[in-house]
RNA sequence: UGCCUGAUGGUGUAACGGUAGCACAACUGUUUUUGGUGCAGUUUGUCUUGGUUCGAAUCCAGGUCAGGCAACCA
């Protein structure tokens, strides 16, 4: 018997709506503005909206909220579609608010005819001033009393291009004294001569968010319109428009957006990082964008799992980056191909190995009994990690040092006899003897060692580059940090290192997921070529030895 | 000195008047040919003051704190 997972508050509402017969089925929507790339916060919304539909047997539309042509671009539309698909979701309809411009214009005329909207000639500053403050009611102006006929004519002229940008706006006539600032005669339309990525130069007036979003929901018969907390005060206006227009009553519900430690989650800030060169692109693997995470090696499955675990609620939150890392490690541990790569090499010479070389076999994935093995060439000269040798080992050090023995993964047990240093005192070569009876899988030596090292045969090694990423920012909670968020950028968020990889890696598929033994999970970068293999570190392995050392 | 949200361990999230649970993090131990994984375990919490009740995280009243709202942005 599986324990029933408790419902979040939105699922609760939907179950009740379905049980009461209010709806036969539900329709949700994911409504990004195409003015930037999607990030992990959007993934939360995508998983929520599509997940709800899946859970309750409904559908989800993808709708582009493209009512502000100066900020929007087709590049963003394309990337958004790609990201949603990659995350594993299929939308029922691909919609655009701009497809409803004619309908929206007619809605506005309807409001004018009901005496509920008027053309205002005031400047932005005047309007702002006349709105009052949260504690002081707004004041009207003469334009508020224009006749219905005059308003109709004026609005039609606005559409026809008779007026300059900013010369006039259309406003709803609601309540200038409302305690909700959004109800103090909100703007419905503004004049803006800008090229729209879909409607071109057909329009010079564009509806505001509040006069587009709810109406679009209604046109599509969205049952549950889910958005983030900052839209709570807009809900009164959302409902007002629907009621006055007498159109399909979609309902808005709000949840808390995602925040994460050590990163930012605002398109404006992310755009700044790109434009000012702090990262290379929107899909830079350090970015919290879907495309960046994809390039870094995150799997769609792990992101979905993450979104599932963080939950949906109304309280502000900041999620530990470690939860995201846990999710991706958990998935990658199951599917990643194990390979050996040495990043900071010293030479290990096996003095009694006189076979020249031999082919050994190593499991591709100990988690997967059907994962098979691969061939790994072994010889008397190997690369091992510099940190795997210590001249004067401490008590808890399980690796190589004078007189110490270790297992070479999938190979033999070796014992260190000697080592060499250069003039500067750096270890250059370690000498060891191997035990021929300790071959992996057929070990009859009876020797037990505590440490196992990864290694690469020197003459078979393939040079590769590893991009080792660290968190983008150096403070946990950017919202509590004083000053400019860019002051907290981690200057060491990317370290590109040269490394020696085992031969098999050169032949592996481009999109394979790897675990470089004892180093972390890696994924081939989009710029990687056969001539120059480049891997991005998705996430390190958990490292309890590093913790031990800090003590 | 307006209106709207919200407040449960370090971080999230459950408990719908009846045993404060789960996950991540942290810490033990154990297994391990990855100091990985697995397994077992430990630590840590109901913002506050009253009230209702046999019984309150939950209901009521007051307070405190945090966030949002006054873009021709979404």
């Amino acid at each position: 018997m599986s324990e029933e997972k408790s419902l979040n508050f939105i699922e609760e509402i939907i179950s009740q709506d379905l049980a009461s017969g209010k709806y036969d089925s539900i329709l949700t929507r994911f409504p990004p503005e195409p003015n930037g790339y999607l990030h992990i916060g959007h993934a939360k919304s995508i998983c929520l909206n599509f997940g709800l539909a899946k859970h309750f047997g409904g559908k989800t539309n993808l709708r582009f909220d493209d009512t502000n042509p100066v900020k929007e671009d087709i590049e963003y539309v394309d990337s958004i579609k790609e990201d949603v698909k990659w995350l594993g979701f299929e939308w029922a309809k691909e919609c655009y608010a701009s497809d409803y411009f004619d309908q929206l214009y007619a809605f506005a005329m309807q409001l004018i005819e009901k005496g509920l909207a008027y053309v205002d000639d005031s400047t932005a500053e005047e309007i702002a001033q006349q709105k009052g403050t949260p504690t002081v009611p707004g004041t009207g102006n003469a334009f508020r009393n224009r006749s219905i006929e005059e308003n109709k004519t004026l609005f039609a002229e606005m559409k026809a291009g008779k007026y300059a940008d900013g010369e006039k706006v259309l406003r709803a006539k609601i309540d200038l004294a409302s305690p909700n600032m959004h109800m103090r005669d909100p703007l419905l339309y503004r004049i803006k001569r800008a090229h729209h990525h879909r409607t071109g130069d057909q329009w010079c007036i564009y509806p505001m968010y509040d006069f587009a979003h709810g109406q679009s929901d209604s046109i599509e018969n969205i049952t549950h319109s889910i958005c983030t907390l900052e839209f709570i005060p807009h809900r009164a206006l959302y409902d007002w428009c629907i009621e006055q227009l007498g159109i399909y009553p979609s309902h808005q519900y709000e949840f808390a957006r995602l925040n994460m430690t050590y990163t930012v989650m605002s398109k404006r800030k992310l755009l700044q990082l790109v434009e000012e060169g702090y990262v290379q692109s929107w899909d830079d693997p350090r970015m919290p964008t879907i495309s960046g995470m994809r390039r870094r090696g995150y799997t769609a499955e792990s992101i979905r799992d993450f979104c599932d675990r963080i939950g949906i609620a109304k309280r502000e939150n900041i999620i530990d980056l470690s939860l995201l890392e846990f999710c991706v490690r958990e998935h990658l541990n199951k599917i990643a191909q194990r390979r050996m790569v040495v990043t900071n090499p010293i030479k290990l010479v096996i003095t009694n190995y006189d076979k020249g070389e031999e082919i050994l076999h190593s499991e591709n994935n100990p988690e997967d009994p059907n994962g098979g093995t691969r061939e790994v060439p072994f010889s008397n000269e190997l690369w091992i990690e510099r940190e795997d040798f210590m001249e004067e080992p401490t008590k808890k050090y399980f690796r190589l040092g004078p007189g110490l023995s270790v297992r070479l993964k999938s190979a033999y047990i070796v014992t260190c006899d000697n080592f060499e240093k250069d003039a500067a005192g750096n270890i250059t070569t370690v000498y060891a003897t191997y035990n021929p009876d300790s071959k992996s899988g057929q070990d009859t030596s009876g020797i037990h060692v505590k440490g196992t090292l990864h290694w690469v045969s020197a003459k078979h090694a393939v040079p590769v580059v590893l991009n080792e990423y660290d968190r983008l920012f150096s403070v946990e909670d950017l919202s509590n940090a004083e000053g400019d968020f860019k002051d907290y950028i981690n200057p060491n968020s990317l370290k590109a290192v040269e490394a020696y990889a085992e031969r098999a890696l050169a032949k592996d598929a481009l999109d394979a997921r790897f675990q470089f033994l004892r180093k972390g999970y890696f994924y081939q970068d989009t710029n990687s070529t056969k001539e120059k293999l480049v891997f991005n570190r998705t996430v390190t392995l958990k490292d309890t030895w590093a913790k031990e050392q800090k003590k």
Side-chain angles (χ1 to χ4, degrees), chain A residues 42 74 77 144 151 169 184 244 293 350 366 384 411 424 450 486 497 499 537:
Chain A
H42 293 107
I74 187 76
V77 171
R144 200 168 195 259
N151 281 320
V169 291
R184 320 247 268 223
Q244 298 306 327
M293 293 172 71
I350 302 173
I384 62 168
K450 278 203 125 173
K486 287 175 294 185
V497 302
R537 185 172 70 194

Side-chain angles (χ1 to χ4, degrees), chain A residues 292-305:
Chain A
M293 293 172 71
R294 175 168 63 230
R295 183 170 167 192
R296 180 153 168 168
Y298 275 83
T299 58
E301 185 172 331
S302 65
I303 293 175
R304 278 187 258 121
D305 180 38

Side-chain angles (χ1 to χ4, degrees), chain A residues 32-38 42 64-66 68 70-77 79-80 197 267-268 271 282:
Chain A
E33 181 188 14
N35 66 343
Y37 281 65
L38 261 26
H42 293 107
F64 293 95
D65 226 341
D66 54 350
N68 186 6
V70 302
K71 286 188 175 179
E72 297 154 8
D73 196 274
I74 187 76
E75 173 196 352
Y76 300 126
V77 171
S79 75
I80 287 167
H197 63 99
K267 278 195 215 169
R268 200 192 93 246
L271 178 65
W282 280 100

Side-chain angles (χ1 to χ4, degrees), chain A residues 70-262:
Chain A
V70 302
K71 286 188 175 179
E72 297 154 8
D73 196 274
I74 187 76
E75 173 196 352
Y76 300 126
V77 171
D78 293 340
S79 75
I80 287 167
K81 285 159 67 174
E82 187 188 353
D83 288 349
V84 174
K85 271 190 238 169
W86 178 77
L87 274 174
F89 297 106
E90 275 177 44
W91 50 88
K93 287 184 187 162
E94 181 179 327
C95 307
Y96 296 81
S98 55
D99 284 347
Y100 310 136
F101 280 171
D102 282 314
Q103 177 68 258
L104 262 14
Y105 177 79
F107 283 155
M109 274 299 184
Q110 239 174 282
L111 244 34
I112 292 172
E113 272 167 15
K114 287 183 77 176
L116 294 173
Y118 62 98
V119 173
D120 193 330
D121 300 2
S122 308
T123 63
E125 295 71 34
E126 285 165 344
I127 290 176
Q129 213 197 345
Q130 288 162 7
K131 270 197 183 172
T133 69
T135 51
V136 179
T139 53
N141 59 36
F143 305 113
R144 200 168 195 259
N145 301 318
R146 286 217 250 235
S147 71
I148 290 174
E149 281 314 309
E150 187 184 4
N151 281 320
K152 281 171 73 176
T153 307
L154 257 17
F155 187 52
E157 287 174 349
M158 278 170 63
K159 182 194 179 203
K162 185 166 175 185
Y163 306 107
D165 288 13
E167 198 177 330
K168 287 179 166 48
V169 291
L170 183 72
R171 287 226 258 170
K173 190 193 274 190
I174 307 179
D175 178 8
L176 285 166
S178 172
N180 181 347
M181 296 299 292
H182 290 272
M183 299 298 272
R184 320 247 268 223
D185 288 14
L187 267 66
L188 267 24
Y189 266 91
R190 76 283 214 187
I191 303 171
K192 191 175 269 196
R193 284 176 178 76
H195 189 83
H196 189 282
H197 63 99
R198 297 193 88 239
T199 60
D201 299 314
Q202 191 187 338
W203 293 85
C204 66
I205 58 170
Y206 291 94
M208 300 288 290
Y209 167 84
D210 286 308
F211 201 68
H213 201 99
Q215 288 78 348
S216 302
D217 285 340
S218 184
I219 289 167
E220 294 170 24
N221 283 15
I222 300 297
T223 55
H224 301 264
S225 177
I226 299 158
C227 60
T228 45
L229 255 28
E230 65 269 28
F231 291 99
I232 289 177
H234 294 251
R235 190 173 61 229
L237 183 53
Y238 181 104
D239 292 338
W240 183 89
C241 288
I242 282 177
E243 194 188 333
Q244 298 306 327
L245 260 13
I247 53 181
Y248 181 87
S250 300
H251 291 280
Q252 176 183 304
Y253 303 92
E254 310 87 7
F255 70 99
R257 68 183 324 130
L258 169 68
N259 293 293
M260 284 223 305
T261 54
Y262 300 109

Side-chain angles (χ1 to χ4, degrees), chain A residues 394-400 404-406 450-453 545:
Chain A
T394 54
K395 297 132 278 176
K396 286 184 176 172
Y397 191 75
F398 304 155
R399 307 178 187 180
L400 224 40
L404 296 182
S405 301
V406 295
K450 278 203 125 173
T452 300
L453 309 186
W545 170 239

Side-chain angles (χ1 to χ4, degrees), chain A residues 337-343 360-364 374-378 382-385 407-411 452-457 460-462 464 466 499-505 508 514-519:
Chain A
Q337 297 285 299
R338 311 294 136 123
R339 296 291 182 266
M340 294 195 282
V341 176
V342 175
T343 55
L360 300 175
H361 297 269
S362 191
E363 69 219 329
N364 285 322
R374 66 187 187 283
E375 297 188 338
V376 187
F378 182 83
L382 312 175
W383 295 117
I384 62 168
E385 298 285 346
R407 156 80 59 189
L408 294 176
K409 175 72 183 173
S410 298
T452 300
L453 309 186
H454 63 280
W455 51 272
V456 172
S457 169
H460 302 94
V462 177
V464 298
L466 306 185
Y500 291 123
E502 64 170 273
R503 200 170 60 180
L505 204 57
D508 284 313
F514 297 107
Q515 182 198 101
F516 294 164
L517 245 55
R518 305 207 293 143
K519 308 240 66 143

